[in-house]
Each structure stands twice: as structure tokens, then as C-alpha cells.
Coordinates of all heavy atoms in Angstrom, one line a residue:
M500 N 19.0 -51.7 81.9 CA 19.7 -50.7 81.3 C 20.7 -51.3 80.2 O 21.3 -52.3 80.5 CB 20.5 -49.9 82.3 CG 21.3 -48.7 81.8 SD 21.7 -47.6 83.1 CE 23.5 -47.8 83.0
K501 N 20.7 -50.6 79.1 CA 21.6 -51.1 78.0 C 23.1 -50.7 78.3 O 23.3 -49.6 78.9 CB 21.2 -50.5 76.7 CG 19.9 -51.0 76.2 CD 19.6 -50.3 74.8 CE 18.3 -50.9 74.3 NZ 18.0 -50.3 72.9
T502 N 24.0 -51.5 77.9 CA 25.4 -51.2 78.0 C 26.0 -51.1 76.5 O 25.9 -52.1 75.8 CB 26.2 -52.2 78.8 OG1 25.6 -52.3 80.1 CG2 27.6 -51.8 78.9
Y503 N 26.5 -50.0 76.1 CA 27.0 -49.8 74.8 C 28.6 -49.8 74.9 O 29.2 -49.4 75.8 CB 26.6 -48.4 74.2 CG 25.1 -48.3 74.0 CD1 24.3 -47.8 74.9 CD2 24.6 -48.7 72.8 CE1 22.9 -47.7 74.7 CE2 23.2 -48.6 72.5 CZ 22.4 -48.1 73.5 OH 21.1 -48.0 73.2
F504 N 29.2 -50.4 73.8 CA 30.6 -50.4 73.7 C 31.0 -49.8 72.3 O 30.2 -50.0 71.4 CB 31.2 -51.8 73.8 CG 31.1 -52.3 75.2 CD1 30.0 -53.1 75.6 CD2 32.1 -52.1 76.1 CE1 29.9 -53.6 76.9 CE2 32.1 -52.6 77.4 CZ 31.0 -53.3 77.8
C505 N 32.1 -49.2 72.2 CA 32.6 -48.6 71.0 C 34.0 -49.3 70.7 O 34.9 -49.3 71.5 CB 32.8 -47.1 71.1 SG 33.4 -46.3 69.6
F506 N 34.1 -49.8 69.5 CA 35.3 -50.4 69.0 C 35.9 -49.5 67.9 O 35.2 -49.3 66.9 CB 35.0 -51.8 68.3 CG 34.7 -52.9 69.3 CD1 33.4 -52.9 69.9 CD2 35.6 -53.8 69.7 CE1 33.1 -53.9 70.8 CE2 35.3 -54.8 70.6 CZ 34.0 -54.8 71.2
I507 N 37.0 -48.9 68.2 CA 37.7 -47.9 67.3 C 38.6 -48.7 66.4 O 39.6 -49.3 66.8 CB 38.4 -46.8 68.0 CG1 37.5 -46.0 68.9 CG2 39.1 -45.9 67.0 CD1 36.5 -45.2 68.3
E508 N 38.3 -48.8 65.1 CA 39.1 -49.4 64.1 C 40.2 -48.4 63.6 O 39.9 -47.3 63.3 CB 38.2 -49.9 62.9 CG 38.9 -50.7 61.9 CD 38.0 -51.1 60.8 OE1 36.7 -51.0 61.0 OE2 38.5 -51.5 59.7
S509 N 41.4 -48.9 63.5 CA 42.6 -48.0 63.2 C 43.2 -48.5 61.9 O 43.2 -49.7 61.6 CB 43.6 -48.1 64.4 OG 44.8 -47.4 64.0
D510 N 43.8 -47.5 61.2 CA 44.6 -47.9 60.0 C 46.1 -48.3 60.3 O 46.8 -48.6 59.4 CB 44.5 -46.9 58.9 CG 45.1 -45.5 59.3 OD1 45.5 -45.4 60.5 OD2 45.1 -44.6 58.5
V511 N 46.5 -48.2 61.6 CA 47.8 -48.5 62.0 C 47.9 -49.7 63.0 O 49.0 -50.2 63.1 CB 48.6 -47.3 62.6 CG1 48.7 -46.2 61.6 CG2 47.9 -46.8 63.8
M512 N 46.8 -50.1 63.6 CA 46.9 -51.2 64.5 C 45.9 -52.2 64.1 O 44.8 -51.9 63.7 CB 46.5 -50.7 66.0 CG 47.5 -49.8 66.6 SD 47.3 -49.3 68.3 CE 45.7 -49.8 68.7
G513 N 46.2 -53.5 64.3 CA 45.3 -54.6 63.9 C 44.2 -54.9 64.9 O 43.2 -55.4 64.6
T514 N 44.5 -54.5 66.2 CA 43.5 -54.8 67.3 C 42.8 -53.5 67.5 O 43.4 -52.4 67.8 CB 44.3 -55.2 68.6 OG1 45.1 -56.3 68.3 CG2 43.3 -55.5 69.7
P515 N 41.4 -53.5 67.5 CA 40.6 -52.3 67.8 C 40.7 -51.9 69.2 O 40.9 -52.7 70.1 CB 39.2 -52.7 67.4 CG 39.2 -54.2 67.4 CD 40.6 -54.7 67.2
H516 N 40.6 -50.6 69.4 CA 40.6 -50.0 70.8 C 39.1 -50.1 71.2 O 38.2 -49.7 70.5 CB 41.0 -48.5 70.7 CG 40.9 -47.8 72.0 ND1 41.8 -47.9 73.0 CD2 39.9 -46.9 72.4 CE1 41.4 -47.1 74.0 NE2 40.2 -46.6 73.7
V517 N 38.9 -50.6 72.4 CA 37.5 -50.7 72.9 C 37.3 -49.9 74.1 O 38.1 -49.8 75.0 CB 37.3 -52.2 73.3 CG1 35.9 -52.4 73.8 CG2 37.6 -53.1 72.2
E518 N 36.1 -49.2 74.2 CA 35.7 -48.4 75.3 C 34.2 -48.5 75.6 O 33.4 -48.6 74.6 CB 36.0 -46.9 75.1 CG 37.5 -46.6 75.1 CD 37.7 -45.1 75.4 OE1 36.9 -44.5 76.1 OE2 38.8 -44.6 75.0
P519 N 33.8 -48.6 76.9 CA 32.4 -48.6 77.2 C 31.9 -47.1 77.0 O 32.6 -46.2 77.1 CB 32.3 -49.0 78.7 CG 33.7 -48.6 79.2 CD 34.6 -48.7 78.0
L520 N 30.6 -47.0 76.6 CA 30.0 -45.7 76.4 C 29.0 -45.4 77.6 O 28.4 -46.3 78.1 CB 29.3 -45.6 75.1 CG 30.2 -45.9 73.9 CD1 29.3 -46.0 72.6 CD2 31.3 -44.9 73.7
M521 N 28.8 -44.1 77.9 CA 27.9 -43.7 78.9 C 26.5 -43.5 78.4 O 25.6 -43.2 79.1 CB 28.4 -42.4 79.6 CG 29.7 -42.5 80.2 SD 29.8 -43.7 81.5 CE 28.7 -42.9 82.7
A522 N 26.2 -43.7 77.1 CA 25.0 -43.4 76.5 C 23.8 -44.2 77.0 O 24.0 -45.4 77.5 CB 25.1 -43.7 75.0
Q523 N 22.6 -43.6 76.9 CA 21.4 -44.3 77.3 C 20.6 -44.8 76.1 O 19.7 -45.6 76.3 CB 20.5 -43.3 78.1 CG 21.2 -42.8 79.4 CD 21.2 -43.7 80.5 OE1 20.2 -44.5 80.7 NE2 22.2 -43.7 81.4
T524 N 20.8 -44.2 74.9 CA 20.1 -44.6 73.7 C 21.0 -44.9 72.6 O 22.2 -44.5 72.6 CB 19.1 -43.4 73.3 OG1 19.9 -42.3 72.9 CG2 18.2 -43.0 74.4
D525 N 20.5 -45.5 71.5 CA 21.3 -45.8 70.4 C 21.8 -44.5 69.8 O 23.0 -44.4 69.4 CB 20.4 -46.5 69.3 CG 20.0 -47.9 69.7 OD1 20.4 -48.3 70.8 OD2 19.4 -48.5 68.9
A526 N 21.0 -43.4 69.7 CA 21.5 -42.1 69.1 C 22.6 -41.5 69.9 O 23.6 -41.0 69.4 CB 20.3 -41.2 69.0
E527 N 22.4 -41.6 71.2 CA 23.5 -41.0 72.1 C 24.8 -41.8 72.0 O 25.9 -41.3 72.0 CB 23.0 -41.1 73.6 CG 22.0 -40.1 73.9 CD 21.5 -40.2 75.4 OE1 22.1 -41.0 76.2 OE2 20.6 -39.5 75.8
A528 N 24.7 -43.1 71.8 CA 25.8 -44.0 71.7 C 26.6 -43.7 70.4 O 27.8 -43.6 70.4 CB 25.4 -45.5 71.7
L529 N 25.8 -43.4 69.3 CA 26.5 -43.1 68.0 C 27.1 -41.7 68.1 O 28.3 -41.5 67.6 CB 25.5 -43.2 66.9 CG 25.0 -44.6 66.5 CD1 23.8 -44.5 65.7 CD2 26.1 -45.3 65.8
A530 N 26.5 -40.8 68.8 CA 27.1 -39.5 68.9 C 28.4 -39.5 69.8 O 29.4 -38.9 69.5 CB 26.1 -38.5 69.6
E531 N 28.3 -40.3 70.9 CA 29.5 -40.5 71.7 C 30.6 -41.2 71.0 O 31.8 -40.8 71.1 CB 29.1 -41.3 73.0 CG 30.1 -41.2 74.1 CD 29.7 -41.9 75.3 OE1 28.4 -42.1 75.5 OE2 30.5 -42.3 76.1
A532 N 30.3 -42.1 70.2 CA 31.3 -42.8 69.4 C 31.9 -41.9 68.4 O 33.1 -41.9 68.1 CB 30.7 -44.0 68.6
A533 N 31.1 -41.0 67.8 CA 31.7 -40.0 66.8 C 32.7 -39.1 67.5 O 33.8 -38.8 67.0 CB 30.6 -39.2 66.2
A534 N 32.3 -38.7 68.7 CA 33.3 -37.8 69.5 C 34.5 -38.6 69.9 O 35.6 -38.0 69.8 CB 32.5 -37.3 70.7
L535 N 34.4 -39.8 70.2 CA 35.5 -40.6 70.6 C 36.4 -40.9 69.4 O 37.6 -40.8 69.5 CB 35.0 -42.0 71.2 CG 36.1 -42.9 71.7 CD1 36.9 -42.3 72.8 CD2 35.4 -44.2 72.2
L536 N 35.8 -41.1 68.2 CA 36.6 -41.3 67.0 C 37.5 -40.1 66.7 O 38.6 -40.3 66.2 CB 35.6 -41.7 65.8 CG 36.3 -41.9 64.5 CD1 37.2 -43.1 64.5 CD2 35.2 -42.2 63.4
R537 N 36.9 -38.9 66.9 CA 37.7 -37.7 66.7 C 39.0 -37.6 67.5 O 39.9 -36.9 67.2 CB 36.8 -36.5 66.9 CG 35.8 -36.3 65.7 CD 35.2 -34.9 65.8 NE 34.3 -34.7 66.9 CZ 33.0 -35.1 67.0 NH1 32.4 -35.6 65.9 NH2 32.3 -34.9 68.1
T538 N 39.0 -38.3 68.6 CA 40.2 -38.3 69.5 C 41.3 -39.3 69.1 O 42.4 -39.3 69.6 CB 39.8 -38.6 71.0 OG1 39.4 -39.9 71.1 CG2 38.8 -37.6 71.5
H539 N 41.0 -40.1 68.1 CA 42.0 -41.1 67.6 C 42.4 -40.7 66.2 O 41.7 -40.9 65.2 CB 41.3 -42.5 67.6 CG 41.1 -43.0 68.9 ND1 42.0 -43.9 69.6 CD2 40.0 -42.8 69.8 CE1 41.5 -44.2 70.7 NE2 40.3 -43.6 70.9
A540 N 43.6 -40.2 66.1 CA 44.2 -39.7 64.8 C 44.2 -40.8 63.7 O 44.0 -40.5 62.6 CB 45.6 -39.1 65.0
S541 N 44.4 -42.0 64.1 CA 44.5 -43.1 63.1 C 43.2 -43.9 63.0 O 43.1 -44.8 62.3 CB 45.6 -44.1 63.5 OG 45.3 -44.7 64.7
G542 N 42.1 -43.4 63.7 CA 40.8 -44.1 63.6 C 40.1 -43.9 62.3 O 40.1 -42.8 61.7
I543 N 39.7 -45.1 61.7 CA 39.0 -45.0 60.4 C 37.5 -45.4 60.6 O 36.7 -45.2 59.7 CB 39.6 -46.0 59.4 CG1 39.7 -47.4 59.9 CG2 41.0 -45.5 59.1 CD1 40.2 -48.4 58.9
A544 N 37.1 -45.9 61.7 CA 35.7 -46.2 62.0 C 35.5 -46.5 63.5 O 36.4 -47.0 64.1 CB 35.2 -47.5 61.2
A545 N 34.3 -46.2 63.9 CA 33.9 -46.5 65.3 C 32.6 -47.4 65.2 O 31.6 -46.9 64.7 CB 33.6 -45.2 66.1
H546 N 32.7 -48.6 65.6 CA 31.6 -49.6 65.6 C 30.9 -49.6 67.0 O 31.6 -49.8 68.0 CB 32.1 -51.0 65.2 CG 32.9 -51.0 64.0 ND1 32.3 -50.9 62.7 CD2 34.2 -51.1 63.8 CE1 33.3 -50.9 61.8 NE2 34.4 -51.0 62.4
V547 N 29.6 -49.4 67.0 CA 28.9 -49.3 68.3 C 28.1 -50.6 68.5 O 27.4 -51.0 67.6 CB 28.0 -48.1 68.3 CG1 27.2 -48.1 69.6 CG2 28.7 -46.8 68.2
L548 N 28.3 -51.3 69.6 CA 27.6 -52.5 69.9 C 26.9 -52.4 71.2 O 27.3 -51.6 72.1 CB 28.6 -53.7 70.0 CG 29.1 -54.2 68.7 CD1 30.3 -53.4 68.3 CD2 29.4 -55.6 68.7
C549 N 25.8 -53.0 71.3 CA 25.0 -53.1 72.6 C 24.7 -54.6 72.8 O 23.9 -55.2 72.1 CB 23.7 -52.3 72.5 SG 22.7 -52.4 74.0
G550 N 25.4 -55.2 73.8 CA 25.4 -56.7 73.9 C 26.0 -57.3 72.6 O 27.1 -56.9 72.2
E551 N 25.2 -58.2 72.0 CA 25.7 -58.8 70.8 C 25.2 -58.1 69.5 O 25.5 -58.5 68.4 CB 25.3 -60.3 70.8 CG 26.0 -61.1 71.8 CD 25.7 -62.6 71.7 OE1 25.2 -63.0 70.6 OE2 25.9 -63.3 72.7
D552 N 24.4 -57.0 69.7 CA 23.8 -56.3 68.6 C 24.7 -55.2 68.1 O 25.1 -54.4 69.0 CB 22.4 -55.8 69.0 CG 21.4 -56.9 69.3 OD1 21.5 -57.9 68.7 OD2 20.5 -56.6 70.1
R553 N 24.9 -55.1 66.8 CA 25.7 -54.0 66.3 C 24.7 -52.9 66.0 O 23.8 -53.1 65.2 CB 26.4 -54.4 65.0 CG 27.3 -53.4 64.5 CD 28.3 -54.0 63.5 NE 28.9 -52.9 62.7 CZ 29.4 -53.1 61.6 NH1 29.6 -54.3 61.1 NH2 29.9 -52.1 60.9
I554 N 24.9 -51.8 66.6 CA 23.9 -50.6 66.5 C 24.3 -49.8 65.2 O 23.3 -49.4 64.5 CB 24.0 -49.7 67.7 CG1 23.8 -50.5 69.0 CG2 23.1 -48.5 67.5 CD1 22.4 -51.2 69.0
G555 N 25.5 -49.6 64.9 CA 25.9 -48.9 63.7 C 27.4 -48.6 63.7 O 28.1 -49.0 64.6
T556 N 27.8 -47.9 62.6 CA 29.2 -47.6 62.5 C 29.3 -46.1 62.1 O 28.5 -45.6 61.3 CB 29.8 -48.4 61.3 OG1 29.8 -49.8 61.7 CG2 31.2 -47.9 61.0
V557 N 30.2 -45.4 62.7 CA 30.5 -44.0 62.5 C 31.8 -43.9 61.8 O 32.8 -44.5 62.3 CB 30.4 -43.2 63.8 CG1 30.7 -41.7 63.5 CG2 29.1 -43.3 64.5
R558 N 31.9 -43.2 60.7 CA 33.2 -42.9 60.0 C 33.6 -41.5 60.1 O 32.7 -40.6 60.2 CB 33.1 -43.4 58.6 CG 32.7 -44.8 58.5 CD 33.0 -45.4 57.1 NE 32.5 -46.7 57.0 CZ 33.2 -47.8 57.4 NH1 34.4 -47.6 57.9 NH2 32.7 -49.0 57.2
P559 N 34.9 -41.2 60.1 CA 35.3 -39.8 60.1 C 34.8 -39.0 58.9 O 34.6 -39.6 57.8 CB 36.8 -39.8 60.2 CG 37.2 -41.2 59.7 CD 36.0 -42.1 59.9
P560 N 34.6 -37.7 59.1 CA 34.2 -36.9 57.9 C 35.2 -36.9 56.8 O 36.4 -37.0 57.1 CB 33.9 -35.5 58.5 CG 34.7 -35.5 59.8 CD 34.8 -36.9 60.3
T561 N 34.8 -36.6 55.6 CA 35.8 -36.5 54.5 C 36.4 -35.2 54.5 O 37.5 -35.0 53.9 CB 35.1 -36.8 53.2 OG1 33.9 -35.9 53.0 CG2 34.6 -38.3 53.1
R562 N 35.7 -34.2 55.0 CA 36.3 -32.8 55.1 C 36.4 -32.4 56.6 O 35.6 -32.9 57.4 CB 35.4 -31.8 54.5 CG 35.2 -32.0 53.0 CD 34.3 -30.9 52.4 NE 33.4 -30.2 53.3 CZ 32.1 -30.5 53.4 NH1 31.5 -31.5 52.7 NH2 31.3 -29.9 54.3
P563 N 37.4 -31.7 57.0 CA 37.6 -31.3 58.4 C 36.3 -30.6 59.0 O 36.1 -30.8 60.2 CB 38.8 -30.4 58.4 CG 39.5 -30.6 57.2 CD 38.5 -31.1 56.2
D564 N 35.6 -29.9 58.2 CA 34.4 -29.1 58.8 C 33.1 -29.9 58.6 O 32.1 -29.4 59.0 CB 34.3 -27.8 58.1 CG 34.1 -27.9 56.6 OD1 34.5 -28.9 56.0 OD2 33.5 -27.0 56.0
A565 N 33.2 -31.1 58.1 CA 32.0 -31.9 57.9 C 31.6 -32.7 59.1 O 32.4 -32.9 60.0 CB 32.2 -32.9 56.7
E566 N 30.3 -33.1 59.2 CA 29.8 -34.0 60.3 C 30.2 -35.4 60.0 O 30.4 -35.8 58.9 CB 28.3 -33.9 60.4 CG 27.8 -32.5 60.9 CD 28.3 -32.2 62.3 OE1 28.2 -33.1 63.2 OE2 28.8 -31.1 62.5
P567 N 30.4 -36.3 61.1 CA 30.7 -37.7 60.9 C 29.6 -38.4 60.1 O 28.4 -38.0 60.2 CB 30.8 -38.2 62.3 CG 31.0 -37.1 63.1 CD 30.4 -35.9 62.5
D568 N 30.0 -39.3 59.3 CA 29.0 -40.1 58.5 C 28.5 -41.3 59.3 O 29.3 -42.1 59.7 CB 29.7 -40.6 57.2 CG 28.8 -41.6 56.4 OD1 27.6 -41.4 56.5 OD2 29.4 -42.4 55.8
E569 N 27.2 -41.3 59.7 CA 26.7 -42.3 60.5 C 26.0 -43.3 59.6 O 25.2 -42.9 58.7 CB 25.7 -41.8 61.5 CG 26.3 -40.9 62.5 CD 25.3 -40.4 63.6 OE1 24.2 -40.8 63.5 OE2 25.7 -39.6 64.4
T570 N 26.2 -44.6 59.8 CA 25.6 -45.6 59.1 C 24.7 -46.4 60.1 O 25.2 -47.1 61.0 CB 26.6 -46.6 58.4 OG1 27.5 -45.8 57.7 CG2 25.9 -47.6 57.6
I571 N 23.4 -46.4 59.9 CA 22.4 -47.1 60.8 C 21.4 -47.7 60.0 O 20.8 -47.1 59.1 CB 21.8 -46.1 61.8 CG1 22.8 -45.1 62.4 CG2 21.0 -46.8 62.8 CD1 22.2 -44.0 63.2
P572 N 20.9 -48.9 60.4 CA 21.6 -49.9 61.1 C 22.5 -50.7 60.2 O 22.5 -50.4 59.0 CB 20.4 -50.8 61.6 CG 19.4 -50.6 60.6 CD 19.6 -49.2 60.0
V573 N 23.1 -51.8 60.7 CA 24.0 -52.6 59.9 C 23.2 -53.8 59.5 O 22.2 -54.2 60.0 CB 25.2 -53.0 60.6 CG1 26.1 -51.8 60.7 CG2 24.9 -53.6 62.0

């Protein structure tokens, strides 16, 4: 079973916030990271890793009603 982690990059803190994800697939991990990013007011990016592999990066939307911008793969 894969273990995914999300690193939330912030524009106010130098150290990223790290959380394990419950996702079973890469797509689920990116969706979960996007939801997690929305809970961090100062979050500028959510980087998803599985082991040593970087799965992708999710950035906040440019408009409040827009979907998060997913960048896959890196």
C-alpha cells in the first residue's frame, strides 16, 4: 500500500506543514491535498509525495470560485 504525504508551502512560514494523506491513488492524493490547502489561509502550494517520488503540486485557485490548479507530474 502506498503512503502519501502532503507538504503545505506557506508565504508566512519557512518550514512547510506536513500531513499524511488517506488517499489510495495519485488522483485521490492530489484531491485531498487540494482540500487540505484550502484550510491553510497562508498556503501557496501543496506538494504531494509518495515515498521519495513527487506526485505533483496543487496551487490555490486564482479566483475564489475556481478549481485548484493541479500540476502533474513534476
Side-chain angles (χ1 to χ4, degrees):
M500 183 163 114
K501 294 182 175 182
T502 302
Y503 294 93
F504 289 91
C505 180
F506 290 77
I507 302 289
E508 187 178 343
S509 170
D510 61 357
V511 295
M512 294 184 350
T514 304
H516 174 81
V517 180
E518 286 202 30
L520 302 175
M521 300 297 295
Q523 301 279 327
T524 66
D525 292 359
E527 287 177 6
L529 290 165
E531 192 175 339
L535 185 58
L536 181 59
R537 286 192 291 273
T538 68
H539 291 266
S541 62
I543 57 173
H546 307 285
V547 178
L548 286 87
C549 183
E551 294 186 20
D552 296 328
R553 186 165 160 198
I554 304 304
T556 296
V557 179
R558 300 193 184 281
T561 55
R562 300 183 334 263
D564 60 335
E566 291 296 316
D568 174 29
E569 294 182 7
T570 306
I571 312 170
V573 288

